[in-house]
Amino acid sequence: MKDVQGQTDKRNIDIQKVGVKNVEIPLVISRKLKSGKTDSQKVYAKAKMSVSLNRKYKGTHMSRFIEILNDYRKQNLVGVDIKKMLSDMQERLESKNAYIKFDFKYFIKKTAPKSGLEALMCYDCYFEGTLDEDDYKFYLGAKVPVATLCPCSKEISDYGAHNQRALVKVKVSYPENQHIWLEDLIKDIEEAGSSEVYSLLKREDEKAVTEHAYDNPKFVEDVLRDVVLKLENNKTINFFEVEIEAFESIHNHNAWAYQKSEKYSK
Amino acid sequence: MKDVQGQTDKRNIDIQKVGVKNVEIPLVISRKLKSGKTDSQKVYAKAKMSVSLNRKYKGTHMSRFIEILNDYRKQNLVGVDIKKMLSDMQERLESKNAYIKFDFKYFIKKTAPKSGLEALMCYDCYFEGTLDEDDYKFYLGAKVPVATLCPCSKEISDYGAHNQRALVKVKVSYPENQHIWLEDLIKDIEEAGSSEVYSLLKREDEKAVTEHAYDNPKFVEDVLRDVVLKLENNKTINFFEVEIEAFESIHNHNAWAYQKSEKYSK
Amino acid sequence: MKDVQGQTDKRNIDIQKVGVKNVEIPLVISRKLKSGKTDSQKVYAKAKMSVSLNRKYKGTHMSRFIEILNDYRKQNLVGVDIKKMLSDMQERLESKNAYIKFDFKYFIKKTAPKSGLEALMCYDCYFEGTLDEDDYKFYLGAKVPVATLCPCSKEISDYGAHNQRALVKVKVSYPENQHIWLEDLIKDIEEAGSSEVYSLLKREDEKAVTEHAYDNPKFVEDVLRDVVLKLENNKTINFFEVEIEAFESIHNHNAWAYQKSEKYSK
Amino acid sequence: MKDVQGQTDKRNIDIQKVGVKNVEIPLVISRKLKSGKTDSQKVYAKAKMSVSLNRKYKGTHMSRFIEILNDYRKQNLVGVDIKKMLSDMQERLESKNAYIKFDFKYFIKKTAPKSGLEALMCYDCYFEGTLDEDDYKFYLGAKVPVATLCPCSKEISDYGAHNQRALVKVKVSYPENQHIWLEDLIKDIEEAGSSEVYSLLKREDEKAVTEHAYDNPKFVEDVLRDVVLKLENNKTINFFEVEIEAFESIHNHNAWAYQKSEKYSK
């Protein structure tokens, strides 16, 4: 059959990104256990993959993205070697640039502060990688819920203070020869809220969480700055973006704040 | 051209509902002003429309739904006469039963409790109507944000109490010759929370709202029961459904409660 | 500490449903392999759980829902014995009625029609169970994408025919001593479209799929009736609901159709 | 009362963006009529607003964003003078940088190709503006549905060709003293699909649309390149981003392509 995609295109436009989106796939993720040992977790993921397309070609070959995903899945290697996948994409799709993003659901066991009961928390995370010729960049992302308690409301009210769930979104990058565990990144973010949030809390835990939040009032600005400080002090990280959105309990709109590190450090 | 939809179908199945969904349209809604006078508001709406289809026909004529919508829009009558629209649908689509739902965004001016400043709040509302032969039913729906403050957290903690935004969804029905204003329904629901939520609050308002919520701790069960009491005591209402979902500030999951009136009163 | 939830309530209202929503959890699902053998799959799920609450109590004990989930998860039994979970909920929450729903992401290997290549497809599915005193009902749900090709467009056009992705949502129930596999239910639905949809198609497959769809033009009404016929002919099923929504390629709105079996057969 | 936000902060971090999100508001949009005259349309919008925050302050004053919105709304000027709003935000929030985005629902009357019938189409659009000290940039965005028909499927199949709805997202910028109408931008994008999509089509229109799409097969790559050519040839535009996502009728995932103009031309 005719290769329509391989036909010559005359519009003279190199395409920056073309590929597939919303491809659902099970993914195997390395994880860090409390013991310090490592393990793996099978997660539900959505993949977004693209390559650049030279001006001479009419189209890319979309099915090859799925074939590559499938090959890696069979070897249980997806998530383990993003760079190798990108390099395979460059080769099999005859492209200079390759891009991949896996959004996935990641479970971590969390311990209630007083009762010590354990239950799972689920976090929306992602791996993102780009390979431009042979320049590789990797990004790790996590969306972490916390509680924020309003310092102004606490200060001006005779009693009480409005508080709410907020979502902190962090994206970091680091050199190829280094590593950051999702478990560590998420813990750093959780500590920056007025309080952490939990799946399972008994009464004694609820008392502790309520009082802890009241003792640690924070605006979205405070959470943002505290997360930024942690990321700046982390010598492994050479790039970051932080966004926090608080689902205000006294409004039907949200407060938010955003910060991006000025540039990649080497 | 051939009328493929009008062809005979031999599977012997009367279809209960077939139609169109997600049709975006501007809608004109009657509204009640604070002065007691009435007025109208042009709103953004999504329409869902269907008819039943007799077993003898292969398909319905989808474009007629859009034509009917369009006719009513030109007359600025949409939202004013749901029953007439349903009856037109029955006639033009040769059907025994007709169904329509308009989900729309409705703005109401709201006054801050202390400063008296006014700003708009937006509510997700809907009109829903069914006409089965000549049996007409109309439903009015509204999703109303409130704040809930946890009675348990307040009771067991030395200070503070977790609170959060919650969404109360109410659906009511009433006889054809009566009327309930969205403004009144929404006000009833707002009063059932630990506190109302607002678009615009200055510092003096924030203090009042914070203290009011602390003085009125409520579980989702409490909000549900208080809304149910109001709806049961409203003699105009002959059917209702209530659901409340609270976006807990100490968890990443939600608390919810649901109640449906046992049956239509006549 | 004081049991605020256990306090007496004087509003005299039995609550029909109160519980938790959006609890993310890994779930173990039994599955049917092509060999006819069975196996299990660990999936990402969201749980919704509730009980009824007697008028005498102020509130339910939300943390117990999470504890029950957690106990079952530790035994790798979540999803295996819904009835037992419901009965535990009744007991531990002192309630007459219990309700549970697990929405989950389910992967099934699918073979391309000509090349024979295999890749995973992901389906949104759910388990839903109710236990009213000792009356148990179980529902199995699946959302299955198919392609529909318009019979009218094919008939009236000199060449071509518009076609699009459509989503078929099916919910079925069957007696406690019987069983329906998701694999079988999904296959039945997929066969009712103009064509099935696939994750991985090579050129020879794309030709086959394109021509097969053109040879099998179907309105949403046709898909609905064909699914209804299959469900009515399935002697195991004693209740069903079907909905189909087609994301029309020539419109920005959707065509949809809906059918519910009149009543439970015994 | 104490101004908690105005307190001194010692973390030494200038915040890039802090503000409010998801503020629902009616917006006034200028529009171009077919007659060439202009008019205005009141639309439903969601606002996102932020300012930068100097390192010396603990927090920004969130209520002022809502007050500014409210002031403009009362004068029916929201959406009318973005630059002036940004400058007001700089002044009232004592900030060097201001950002605003209005996402809104915009209706345009569209004529069916053969019957000449008119009906409304709704488009998701946005205005986005930044004011960094006195450097003002304005962006206009639109999400436009089209149909794409696969050139490969058409070529290799004996008859038929898969086609689907696709969404083209375009963002453009242009100098302050120039203007681009949404009506013109949207028309340019619609012409780049295999076919346009419509709200209302009678049988004669459906035949025309079906055949037109079959005569104009296009990959997402083709649509992207054709849109890029139009934007590059538009002398008013000095920056653009284009993304297209096709909801493939033979897959459950999407094809997508993306292009960004290399840099702002002066």
Side-chain angles (χ1 to χ4, degrees):
Chain A
M1 290 176 200
K2 209 163 154 185
D3 178 5
V4 182
Q5 284 84 352
Q7 288 173 335
T8 308
D9 197 273
K10 299 191 170 160
R11 279 163 292 192
N12 229 22
I13 297 173
D14 292 322
I15 291 181
Q16 291 162 2
K17 288 187 179 180
V18 57
V20 292
K21 199 173 157 176
N22 270 354
V23 186
E24 296 173 292
I25 190 147
L27 195 70
V28 176
I29 307 283
S30 300
R31 64 175 177 171
K32 184 187 174 187
L33 299 175
K34 290 196 176 172
S35 62
K37 290 184 184 170
T38 64
D39 190 4
S40 69
Q41 181 178 152
K42 198 171 220 174
V43 302
Y44 163 79
K46 280 194 184 181
K48 188 175 177 180
M49 304 167 81
S50 71
V51 291
S52 56
L53 180 71
N54 191 289
R55 60 186 64 199
K56 68 185 175 199
Y57 296 121
K58 182 173 172 64
T60 191
H61 292 86
M62 298 279 185
S63 65
R64 295 184 194 170
F65 293 105
I66 309 297
E67 288 182 298
I68 293 170
L69 266 183
N70 219 36
D71 289 351
Y72 275 79
R73 184 189 54 78
K74 281 183 191 157
Q75 303 167 56
N76 264 351
L77 285 174
V78 174
V80 173
D81 196 346
I82 300 285
K83 189 183 180 184
K84 184 67 172 56
M85 282 193 81
L86 290 166
S87 149
D88 281 8
M89 285 162 63
Q90 280 182 334
E91 193 183 321
R92 287 170 68 175
L93 288 144
E94 295 166 64
S95 168
K96 279 189 182 171
N97 308 301
Y99 167 85
I100 201 163
K101 189 179 179 201
F102 288 112
D103 283 285
F104 59 91
K105 299 283 186 178
Y106 191 64
F107 287 99
I108 299 179
K109 201 172 286 179
K110 194 158 179 183
T111 308
K114 292 291 170 189
S115 67
L117 290 174
E118 288 184 330
L120 294 180
M121 280 279 293
C122 185
Y123 303 90
D124 287 316
C125 299
Y126 60 88
F127 293 156
E128 195 172 7
T130 58
L131 190 58
D132 295 336
E133 313 244 353
D134 59 359
D135 178 21
Y136 174 62
K137 284 200 176 61
F138 175 77
Y139 302 89
L140 182 67
K143 301 178 187 173
V144 181
V146 299
T148 58
L149 186 138
C150 180
C152 173
S153 169
K154 176 181 174 180
E155 174 69 34
I156 63 180
S157 304
D158 292 340
Y159 40 82
H162 76 81
N163 52 74
Q164 51 269 318
R165 201 190 294 164
L167 194 63
V168 186
K169 302 178 194 173
V170 170
K171 176 181 183 172
V172 300
S173 190
Y174 44 84
E176 204 181 330
N177 59 347
Q178 304 209 37
H179 187 64
I180 287 179
W181 290 103
L182 272 173
E183 285 77 3
D184 297 331
L185 181 64
I186 288 169
K187 191 166 180 296
D188 271 356
I189 302 168
E190 289 186 329
E191 291 170 356
S194 291
S195 166
E196 306 189 22
V197 308
Y198 299 84
S199 291
L200 177 58
L201 294 172
K202 300 305 289 181
R203 229 169 297 169
E204 61 206 279
D205 302 311
E206 188 173 358
K207 172 179 163 60
V209 166
T210 301
E211 295 173 356
H212 183 79
Y214 195 80
D215 287 334
N216 289 278
K218 290 199 174 191
F219 291 128
V220 290
E221 291 93 327
D222 292 310
V223 179
L224 186 86
R225 278 174 168 142
D226 287 347
V227 172
V228 164
L229 279 179
K230 287 195 184 208
L231 299 177
E232 282 181 347
N233 289 334
N234 184 328
K235 296 309 172 201
T236 307
I237 291 170
N238 57 18
F239 169 85
F240 65 83
E241 260 184 293
V242 186
E243 185 171 357
I244 166 163
E245 182 166 3
F247 309 98
E248 302 295 291
S249 63
I250 60 171
H251 295 302
N252 200 28
H253 58 259
N254 305 332
W256 71 287
Y258 170 86
Q259 196 86 342
K260 186 179 181 170
S261 63
E262 293 303 321
K263 53 174 182 172
Y264 270 91
S265 56
K266 65 175 171 53
Chain B
M1 289 176 202
K2 208 163 156 184
D3 179 5
V4 182
Q5 284 84 352
Q7 289 174 336
T8 308
D9 198 273
K10 301 192 169 157
R11 278 163 290 192
N12 229 22
I13 297 173
D14 292 322
I15 291 182
Q16 293 162 1
K17 289 189 178 179
V18 56
V20 293
K21 197 174 158 176
N22 268 354
V23 187
E24 296 172 291
I25 190 145
L27 197 70
V28 176
I29 307 284
S30 300
R31 63 173 178 172
K32 184 187 176 188
L33 299 176
K34 291 194 177 177
S35 62
K37 292 185 184 167
T38 63
D39 188 5
S40 69
Q41 181 177 153
K42 198 169 217 174
V43 302
Y44 163 79
K46 279 194 184 182
K48 189 176 176 179
M49 305 168 80
S50 71
V51 291
S52 56
L53 181 71
N54 191 287
R55 62 185 63 200
K56 68 184 173 200
Y57 296 122
K58 183 174 171 64
T60 192
H61 292 87
M62 298 279 184
S63 65
R64 295 185 194 169
F65 292 105
I66 309 297
E67 287 182 297
I68 293 169
L69 266 183
N70 217 37
D71 289 352
Y72 275 80
R73 184 187 56 77
K74 281 184 190 156
Q75 301 169 55
N76 264 353
L77 286 174
V78 173
V80 173
D81 197 346
I82 300 285
K83 189 183 180 184
K84 184 69 172 56
M85 281 193 83
L86 289 166
S87 149
D88 282 7
M89 284 162 64
Q90 279 181 336
E91 191 184 322
R92 288 170 69 175
L93 288 143
E94 296 165 63
S95 168
K96 279 189 182 169
N97 307 301
Y99 167 85
I100 200 163
K101 189 180 179 202
F102 289 112
D103 283 285
F104 59 91
K105 297 285 185 176
Y106 192 63
F107 288 98
I108 300 179
K109 201 173 284 180
K110 193 158 181 184
T111 308
K114 291 291 170 189
S115 67
L117 290 174
E118 289 184 332
L120 295 179
M121 279 280 293
C122 185
Y123 303 89
D124 287 318
C125 299
Y126 59 88
F127 293 157
E128 195 173 7
T130 57
L131 190 59
D132 295 336
E133 314 247 351
D134 58 1
D135 178 21
Y136 174 60
K137 284 202 175 61
F138 175 76
Y139 302 89
L140 181 68
K143 300 179 186 172
V144 181
V146 299
T148 58
L149 185 139
C150 180
C152 174
S153 169
K154 177 181 173 181
E155 174 69 34
I156 63 180
S157 303
D158 293 339
Y159 40 82
H162 75 83
N163 52 75
Q164 51 269 319
R165 201 190 295 164
L167 194 63
V168 186
K169 302 178 194 173
V170 170
K171 176 181 183 170
V172 300
S173 191
Y174 44 85
E176 206 181 329
N177 59 348
Q178 303 209 36
H179 186 64
I180 287 180
W181 290 103
L182 272 174
E183 284 76 4
D184 296 332
L185 181 65
I186 288 169
K187 191 166 179 294
D188 271 357
I189 301 168
E190 289 186 329
E191 291 171 355
S194 291
S195 165
E196 306 188 23
V197 309
Y198 299 84
S199 290
L200 176 58
L201 294 172
K202 300 304 292 181
R203 230 170 297 168
E204 61 206 279
D205 303 310
E206 188 172 358
K207 173 179 163 61
V209 165
T210 301
E211 294 172 357
H212 182 79
Y214 194 81
D215 287 334
N216 289 278
K218 290 198 174 192
F219 290 128
V220 290
E221 291 93 327
D222 293 309
V223 179
L224 187 86
R225 279 176 168 140
D226 287 347
V227 172
V228 164
L229 279 179
K230 288 193 183 211
L231 300 177
E232 282 180 348
N233 289 334
N234 184 327
K235 296 308 174 202
T236 307
I237 291 171
N238 58 16
F239 170 85
F240 65 82
E241 260 184 293
V242 186
E243 185 172 357
I244 165 162
E245 182 167 3
F247 309 98
E248 302 295 291
S249 63
I250 60 172
H251 295 302
N252 201 29
H253 58 259
N254 305 332
W256 70 288
Y258 170 87
Q259 196 87 342
K260 186 180 182 169
S261 63
E262 291 304 322
K263 53 174 180 172
Y264 269 91
S265 55
K266 63 180 167 53
Chain C
M1 288 175 203
K2 208 164 156 185
D3 178 6
V4 182
Q5 285 83 353
Q7 290 174 334
T8 308
D9 198 273
K10 298 191 171 158
R11 278 163 292 194
N12 228 22
I13 297 173
D14 292 322
I15 291 183
Q16 293 162 2
K17 288 187 178 180
V18 56
V20 292
K21 198 174 158 175
N22 269 355
V23 186
E24 296 173 291
I25 191 145
L27 194 70
V28 176
I29 307 284
S30 300
R31 64 175 177 172
K32 184 187 176 188
L33 299 176
K34 292 196 176 174
S35 62
K37 291 184 183 167
T38 63
D39 190 6
S40 69
Q41 182 178 151
K42 199 170 219 172
V43 302
Y44 163 79
K46 280 194 184 182
K48 188 175 177 180
M49 305 168 81
S50 71
V51 292
S52 56
L53 180 70
N54 191 288
R55 61 186 63 201
K56 68 184 173 200
Y57 295 122
K58 182 173 171 65
T60 190
H61 293 86
M62 299 280 184
S63 65
R64 295 186 194 167
F65 293 105
I66 309 296
E67 286 181 298
I68 293 170
L69 267 183
N70 218 35
D71 288 351
Y72 275 78
R73 184 189 56 76
K74 280 184 190 154
Q75 304 168 57
N76 264 349
L77 285 176
V78 173
V80 173
D81 195 344
I82 301 285
K83 189 183 180 185
K84 184 69 172 54
M85 282 192 82
L86 290 165
S87 149
D88 282 7
M89 285 161 63
Q90 280 181 335
E91 193 183 321
R92 290 170 68 175
L93 288 143
E94 295 166 64
S95 168
K96 279 190 183 169
N97 308 301
Y99 167 85
I100 201 163
K101 188 180 180 201
F102 289 113
D103 284 285
F104 58 90
K105 299 283 186 177
Y106 192 62
F107 287 99
I108 299 180
K109 201 173 284 179
K110 193 158 180 184
T111 309
K114 291 293 170 186
S115 67
L117 290 174
E118 289 184 330
L120 294 179
M121 280 280 293
C122 185
Y123 302 90
D124 287 318
C125 299
Y126 60 88
F127 294 156
E128 196 173 7
T130 59
L131 190 59
D132 295 336
E133 315 245 353
D134 59 359
D135 178 21
Y136 174 60
K137 285 201 174 61
F138 175 76
Y139 302 89
L140 181 67
K143 301 179 187 173
V144 182
V146 299
T148 57
L149 186 139
C150 180
C152 173
S153 170
K154 177 181 174 180
E155 174 68 35
I156 63 180
S157 304
D158 292 341
Y159 40 83
H162 75 83
N163 52 75
Q164 51 271 317
R165 201 191 295 164
L167 194 64
V168 186
K169 300 178 195 174
V170 170
K171 177 181 183 171
V172 300
S173 190
Y174 45 85
E176 204 181 330
N177 59 349
Q178 302 210 37
H179 187 64
I180 287 180
W181 290 103
L182 272 174
E183 285 76 3
D184 296 331
L185 180 65
I186 288 169
K187 191 167 180 294
D188 271 357
I189 301 168
E190 289 186 328
E191 291 171 356
S194 290
S195 164
E196 305 188 23
V197 309
Y198 298 84
S199 290
L200 177 57
L201 294 172
K202 300 305 289 182
R203 229 170 296 168
E204 60 206 281
D205 302 311
E206 187 173 359
K207 173 179 162 63
V209 166
T210 302
E211 295 172 356
H212 182 79
Y214 194 81
D215 288 334
N216 289 280
K218 291 198 173 189
F219 289 127
V220 289
E221 291 94 327
D222 293 309
V223 179
L224 186 86
R225 278 174 168 144
D226 287 346
V227 172
V228 164
L229 279 179
K230 287 193 183 210
L231 300 177
E232 282 181 346
N233 290 333
N234 185 327
K235 296 309 172 201
T236 307
I237 292 171
N238 57 16
F239 170 85
F240 65 83
E241 260 184 293
V242 187
E243 184 170 359
I244 166 163
E245 181 166 4
F247 309 97
E248 302 295 291
S249 62
I250 60 171
H251 295 302
N252 200 29
H253 58 258
N254 305 332
W256 70 287
Y258 170 86
Q259 196 87 342
K260 187 179 181 170
S261 63
E262 293 305 320
K263 53 175 181 172
Y264 269 90
S265 55
K266 63 178 167 52
Chain D
M1 287 177 203
K2 207 163 155 186
D3 178 5
V4 183
Q5 284 83 351
Q7 289 174 333
T8 307
D9 198 273
K10 299 192 170 157
R11 278 164 292 194
N12 228 21
I13 297 173
D14 293 322
I15 291 183
Q16 293 162 1
K17 290 187 177 180
V18 57
V20 292
K21 199 174 157 175
N22 269 354
V23 186
E24 296 173 293
I25 190 142
L27 192 72
V28 177
I29 307 283
S30 300
R31 63 175 178 172
K32 185 189 175 185
L33 299 175
K34 290 195 176 175
S35 62
K37 291 184 184 167
T38 64
D39 189 4
S40 69
Q41 182 178 150
K42 200 169 219 174
V43 302
Y44 164 79
K46 280 193 184 181
K48 188 174 177 181
M49 305 168 80
S50 71
V51 292
S52 56
L53 180 70
N54 191 288
R55 62 185 63 200
K56 68 185 173 199
Y57 296 122
K58 181 172 172 66
T60 191
H61 292 87
M62 297 280 184
S63 65
R64 296 186 192 168
F65 292 105
I66 309 298
E67 287 182 299
I68 293 171
L69 267 181
N70 218 36
D71 289 351
Y72 276 75
R73 184 188 55 75
K74 280 184 192 155
Q75 304 168 59
N76 262 348
L77 285 177
V78 175
V80 172
D81 193 345
I82 302 285
K83 190 183 179 183
K84 184 69 171 55
M85 284 192 82
L86 290 166
S87 149
D88 282 6
M89 285 162 63
Q90 278 181 336
E91 193 183 320
R92 288 170 68 175
L93 287 143
E94 296 167 63
S95 168
K96 279 189 181 169
N97 308 300
Y99 167 85
I100 202 163
K101 189 180 179 199
F102 290 113
D103 283 285
F104 59 91
K105 299 284 186 178
Y106 191 62
F107 288 98
I108 299 179
K109 200 173 285 180
K110 195 160 178 182
T111 309
K114 292 292 169 188
S115 67
L117 291 174
E118 287 184 332
L120 294 180
M121 281 279 294
C122 185
Y123 302 90
D124 286 318
C125 299
Y126 59 88
F127 293 157
E128 195 173 8
T130 58
L131 190 59
D132 295 335
E133 315 244 351
D134 58 0
D135 178 20
Y136 175 60
K137 285 203 175 59
F138 175 75
Y139 302 89
L140 181 67
K143 299 179 187 175
V144 182
V146 299
T148 58
L149 185 139
C150 179
C152 173
S153 170
K154 176 181 174 180
E155 174 69 34
I156 62 179
S157 304
D158 292 342
Y159 41 81
H162 76 82
N163 52 75
Q164 52 269 318
R165 201 191 295 164
L167 193 63
V168 186
K169 301 177 194 173
V170 170
K171 176 182 184 171
V172 300
S173 191
Y174 44 86
E176 206 181 326
N177 59 348
Q178 304 210 36
H179 188 64
I180 287 179
W181 290 103
L182 272 174
E183 285 77 2
D184 297 331
L185 181 65
I186 287 169
K187 191 165 180 296
D188 271 358
I189 301 169
E190 289 186 328
E191 291 171 356
S194 289
S195 166
E196 305 188 23
V197 308
Y198 298 83
S199 290
L200 176 58
L201 294 173
K202 301 303 291 181
R203 228 169 297 167
E204 61 206 279
D205 302 311
E206 187 173 359
K207 173 180 161 63
V209 165
T210 301
E211 295 173 356
H212 183 79
Y214 194 81
D215 288 334
N216 288 279
K218 289 199 174 191
F219 290 127
V220 290
E221 291 93 327
D222 292 310
V223 179
L224 186 85
R225 278 175 168 142
D226 287 348
V227 172
V228 164
L229 279 179
K230 287 193 184 209
L231 300 177
E232 282 180 347
N233 289 335
N234 184 327
K235 296 309 173 201
T236 306
I237 291 170
N238 58 17
F239 170 85
F240 65 82
E241 261 184 292
V242 186
E243 186 171 358
I244 165 162
E245 182 165 3
F247 309 98
E248 302 296 292
S249 62
I250 61 172
H251 295 302
N252 200 30
H253 59 259
N254 305 333
W256 71 288
Y258 170 86
Q259 196 86 344
K260 185 180 183 170
S261 64
E262 292 304 322
K263 52 173 182 175
Y264 269 91
S265 55
K266 63 178 169 53

